[in-house]
Amino acid sequence: MSSGGRFRALRALLSDPMGALGLGLVLLFVVMALFAPWVAPADPIKLNVAEKFQPPSLAHLAGTDQLGRDLLSRIVYGARTALAIALTAVGLAGVGGLILGMIAGFGPRWLDAVLVLLFDSMSSLPMIMFALAVITIVGPGTGTLILVVVLVSIPAYARLIRAQTLALSGADFIVAERAMGASSARILFRHLLPNVVGPLLILLSMDVPVVIMLEAGLSYLNLGVRPPTPSWGNILYDGYTSIRAAPHMVVIAGLPLVLSTLGFTFLGEGLRDALDPRLRRRVAG
Amino acid sequence: MSEPVLSVENLSLRYRVAGGAVAALRNVSLSVRQGEVLGIAGESGCGKSSLAAAMIDLAGANAEVTAGAIRLRGQDILRLDQAARRRLRGREIAMVFQDPMTAFNPVLTVGAQLVDFQFNLDGVPGREKRARARDMLARVGLSDPDLVMGRYPHELSGGMRQRAAIAAALLMRPAVLIADEPTTALDVTMEAQIIHLLRELRAQYGCAIVIVTHHLGVIAELCDRVAVMYAGEVVEEAPVDELFHDPRHPYTRALIACDPARIGKATGRLPAIGGRLPDLSDPPPGCAFAARCGIATDRCRTVPPPRVAPGADRGVLCHEAAP
Amino acid sequence: MTALLSVRDLAVDLPLGRWFGGGARALNILAGVTMDLQPGRTLGLVGESGSGKTTLARAILGLQPVSGGTLRFDGAELRRSADFRAIRRRTALMFQDATASLSPRMTVGEAVTEPFVIHGIRIASRRGKAAELLAEVGLPAEMAARYPHELSGGQARRVGVARALALKPSLVIADEPTAGLDVSVQAEILNLMADLKDRHGLSYLVITHNLALVRHVADRIAVLYLGRLVETGPTRAIFAGPGHPYTRSLIAAEPKPDPRQRRTDLAIRGEIPGILRRPPGCEFHTRCPVARDICRSAAPALHDLGPGHSVRCHFPETTSKGG
């Protein structure tokens, strides 16, 4: 029944134009990232200063940057960096938030109080300050970036899950389970989990672009991905610094950020509707 | 006999839905006179709430009146422009809902809202509006109106909220008060008090009251005349005593028979009405009740039933009801 | 014969202000509740919202911690959570909101076979068992693939009954089994419950504020007011001669579906006081038409009015005086 349910959810997602568009955009970036060496027309770090600041042309579909590197290739390879960091970080934070949130919402009250205090104090730290502090201690790099994102995002996810769990544990169908003698584990995994994952999924997919932006921002500060590894942040930074010499760079470097943001957001909303049987009626009927 | 304050004439209304339309009201006619309490009875899906919403012009964006008229003192409100219709709402026709919580804005005090509801009264000073609001709260039986004025809707009990909602509806002295399931959300003792209140208000103000409910007990306690609805049609209309003691339509009879409140002592089984409502996106050609009716003939299944008048002020939509 | 369910002096307190108050303040929800349910019988638990009737049901199932008194099921005392877990195979709960009691992401088929999974009972085919249970409540097997939101109110109620019956329980606790249902559907559900009772020898604890319902289904009635049992007795005796003024008011407040029996006076005024402001003495004295000084200061004891009929009142009316 569950595999059939998943196919039904996929069909529902595809039948929603926005969801299908989101899925398409996300798949486009994933394919770009996975097959970067085949998709990219040129070497993303090969310098050719003679051809710097070229506008888009047949030789360089997206033009070149201040060092004459092929911009399209850099964007394709940048997708690799961006998605690897964003998906890993958001995924880990999502799992962490899910577990902590459900413990807080379903567990004993004292544990809930302790965890809520923890979440609140974590999220009262400004994200950038916190990131800088962690980078100072651990040193810059991809791993540090992921660690920062995980630590910063967990409280928000955990709070969402906790609120959902608390609201649902008083719901009639959960009381019905308890009255039938269901164990806490069964209530948690069979009944609460599927009902709280939906809202988390949409939050997660909407946060992927935020992490991509954070990566870009930290890379701008030279605290994220180290050059010459192509990252959308680095490319955007290069674009800003060269905005007078080659205004097309900023626009082209901004496009993947905009498109991936839209893609993940549409996908998130589409998933939420597709995963909820209550909103699936039109497809079934 | 006085002229009707509000009359619905051959009203048909449908809702546009994905892939077609649902005929929620079909050729509905009824009227209510000044000082009269009209009950609209029926089960869920019979169209009684659509009718109440249409009377106050709140049927929703996907509703479409395909035929008929709704006349307030002879004037067809469906022919008025938007602004004129809006002026009627609250001033001439007011509504009380099943859940009084939805009638109030949760972030304003009851007093502030009762003052706001009088926005139509140009030139009346705020102090007088407050006094009118306070006075109306006292009239609906709230023992401490000043306290209620300062409270937020959620701070009142269900019964007090319903009283306040009735006060809000009566503030502008409407000609017609429409109450949609006004006691359904309340406990028995509160229900009795609201019924008592509505009776008193009818006597004091002489406004026409339309009560929409599925609860036959409320109809019997409160109404002068009753219209029974089934599948978007008024299948029987009669003075209340005749409806309960001499019902003519088979559906009315079945409805009265299966109410457990009628049965004095425990019987093993209650009479039930088998079957389901017909699909209103494709209403049956004959009588809508034929499929569930014990006395239906072939004619009932194919020919729409006539409206016969078995007595003064009575109407039955049935082939088999003797005139 | 030993009672299937026996409740003695049951009390439920909700602790208050544990964090700041320091002292052991507690909100007293139920106190001194004593009642028995014999096998194969139906006990009607009557009360308005705030009377504690739902808390009592939850306490019986171990879903609400008790602070005093004893509970026995089939002679065995229920103390620890392990005791309650053991009886859950033999008890079932039917919810007031049947749709909300079904997991929104589970199909009907999964929902009705859920009790087998919970208790690790092997069944040959989940699909076959679902069809069998659905057939028992008069639903077609295709219904198993539906989700709760696709069901009508009556269908959801039937699914709730099917799930309750899955493990062949001895006791079914039904919380407002007909609330929100149309009269004709209500009759169908009550008939279904009666059939299943005969077929499987069930006992019911029916919790409701609907007196017409208990008069129809219950052998005995227990009336709760503000967490106290004010009257218990055989249904017939209580309706023939209610001993407690509250019971009398409740019976009088019920709207009669007969305009010739309209009551002209108001049976009961005021509302149930909040549980935070429990009146001293007899809880009901603030609304009681016959309250005297002693009622305001001293809590009344239980008096016997007849065989199995007792009432908690200083001035119990006997059957001869009743009315």
Side-chain angles (χ1 to χ4, degrees), chain A residues 66-137:
Chain A
Q66 78 283 9
L67 299 172
R69 294 174 296 197
D70 182 60
L71 214 48
L72 179 62
S73 304
R74 286 186 63 74
I75 285 170
V76 170
Y77 274 89
R80 220 172 219 206
T81 321
L83 288 188
I85 292 176
L87 292 182
T88 315
V90 169
L92 287 176
V95 172
L98 187 64
I99 294 170
L100 288 176
M102 285 183 70
I103 291 175
F106 199 71
R109 279 198 174 182
W110 64 266
L111 192 57
D112 182 34
V114 171
L115 285 171
V116 166
L117 192 67
L118 196 70
F119 302 154
D120 285 351
S121 41
M122 287 282 292
S123 42
S124 62
L125 295 171
M127 183 149 161
I128 283 290
M129 303 277 266
F130 182 72
L132 292 178
V134 173
I135 290 165
T136 315
I137 299 165

Side-chain angles (χ1 to χ4, degrees), chain C residues 24-99:
Chain C
R25 279 214 306 144
L27 190 58
N28 179 222
I29 307 233
L30 287 174
V33 176
T34 294
M35 60 190 199
D36 285 327
L37 173 57
Q38 301 299 334
R41 293 305 176 97
T42 299
L43 174 64
L45 191 56
V46 178
E48 297 182 278
S49 38
S51 63
K53 56 192 196 297
T54 301
T55 306
L56 178 55
R58 293 196 172 186
I60 290 169
L61 287 170
L63 300 172
Q64 173 75 51
V66 252
S67 39
T70 56
L71 280 167
R72 284 175 184 278
F73 187 82
D74 220 356
E77 190 171 347
L78 308 173
R79 287 182 165 279
R80 289 155 304 153
S81 57
D83 303 335
F84 285 106
R85 223 173 294 140
I87 70 149
R88 280 189 187 149
R89 276 183 66 165
R90 300 189 54 201
T91 57
L93 183 57
M94 275 171 63
F95 284 77
Q96 175 167 0
D97 185 345
T99 310

Side-chain angles (χ1 to χ4, degrees), chain A residues 180-192:
Chain A
M180 284 188 277
S183 63
S184 295
R186 183 169 175 81
I187 291 175
L188 265 175
F189 294 111
R190 185 73 180 88
H191 295 282
L192 287 174

Side-chain angles (χ1 to χ4, degrees), chain C:
Chain C
M1 192 159 60
T2 56
L4 179 67
L5 176 73
S6 163
V7 179
R8 289 283 169 278
D9 275 324
L10 191 81
V12 170
D13 294 330
L14 275 190
L16 271 186
R18 242 195 329 192
W19 285 70
F20 301 105
R25 279 214 306 144
L27 190 58
N28 179 222
I29 307 233
L30 287 174
V33 176
T34 294
M35 60 190 199
D36 285 327
L37 173 57
Q38 301 299 334
R41 293 305 176 97
T42 299
L43 174 64
L45 191 56
V46 178
E48 297 182 278
S49 38
S51 63
K53 56 192 196 297
T54 301
T55 306
L56 178 55
R58 293 196 172 186
I60 290 169
L61 287 170
L63 300 172
Q64 173 75 51
V66 252
S67 39
T70 56
L71 280 167
R72 284 175 184 278
F73 187 82
D74 220 356
E77 190 171 347
L78 308 173
R79 287 182 165 279
R80 289 155 304 153
S81 57
D83 303 335
F84 285 106
R85 223 173 294 140
I87 70 149
R88 280 189 187 149
R89 276 183 66 165
R90 300 189 54 201
T91 57
L93 183 57
M94 275 171 63
F95 284 77
Q96 175 167 0
D97 185 345
T99 310
S101 78
L102 299 168
S103 188
R105 280 161 203 276
M106 266 191 169
T107 61
V108 165
E110 289 174 297
V112 295
T113 49
E114 176 83 355
F116 297 101
V117 181
I118 287 174
H119 291 280
I121 297 166
R122 282 237 165 126
I123 41 175
S125 142
R126 232 180 142 169
R127 187 176 299 228
K129 193 76 198 177
E132 183 189 321
L133 286 167
L134 291 176
E136 181 118 55
V137 296
L139 290 175
E142 302 90 76
M143 203 65 87
R146 299 264 188 99
Y147 283 93
H149 69 270
E150 298 169 323
L151 305 176
S152 72
Q155 287 169 342
R157 196 74 56 152
R158 282 171 191 267
V159 171
V161 177
R163 181 176 63 179
L165 286 176
L167 297 180
K168 304 253 178 291
S170 333
L171 171 66
V172 174
I173 299 182
D175 191 355
E176 298 285 4
T178 62
L181 294 180
D182 281 322
V183 214
S184 64
V185 183
Q186 180 176 328
E188 288 175 21
I189 296 293
L190 293 178
N191 289 343
L192 174 68
M193 286 174 66
D195 289 347
L196 294 169
K197 180 184 172 187
D198 295 343
R199 208 179 303 156
H200 301 292
L202 300 176
S203 308
Y204 286 115
L205 176 62
V206 174
I207 301 168
T208 184
H209 70 274
N210 185 341
L211 281 165
L213 171 66
V214 289
R215 182 170 54 203
H216 180 70
V217 302
D219 302 299
R220 286 180 61 81
I221 295 179
V223 183
L224 275 178
Y225 187 79
L226 264 186
R228 304 283 188 277
L229 211 55
V230 296
E231 183 161 6
T232 56
T235 306
R236 194 170 298 184
I238 286 189
F239 276 96
H244 199 281
Y246 177 61
T247 318
R248 270 205 304 281
S249 315
L250 272 184
I251 293 173
E254 185 78 7
K256 311 280 181 300
D258 181 354
R260 292 181 191 167
Q261 290 180 35
R262 270 186 196 180
R263 47 157 205 279
T264 44
D265 62 322
L266 191 54
I268 187 167
R269 288 172 193 279
E271 302 189 48
I272 293 193
I275 204 141
L276 283 167
R277 268 166 290 160
R278 177 183 290 285
C282 171
E283 269 81 15
F284 187 59
H285 80 250
T286 55
R287 302 169 79 191
C288 184
V290 298
R292 299 179 211 173
D293 284 345
I294 183 170
C295 303
R296 289 178 253 281
S297 51
L302 274 175
H303 298 277
D304 278 342
L305 279 189
H309 186 183
S310 55
V311 58
R312 191 184 297 277
C313 180
H314 289 297
F315 307 100
E317 305 266 327
T318 54
T319 335
S320 51
K321 285 197 282 173

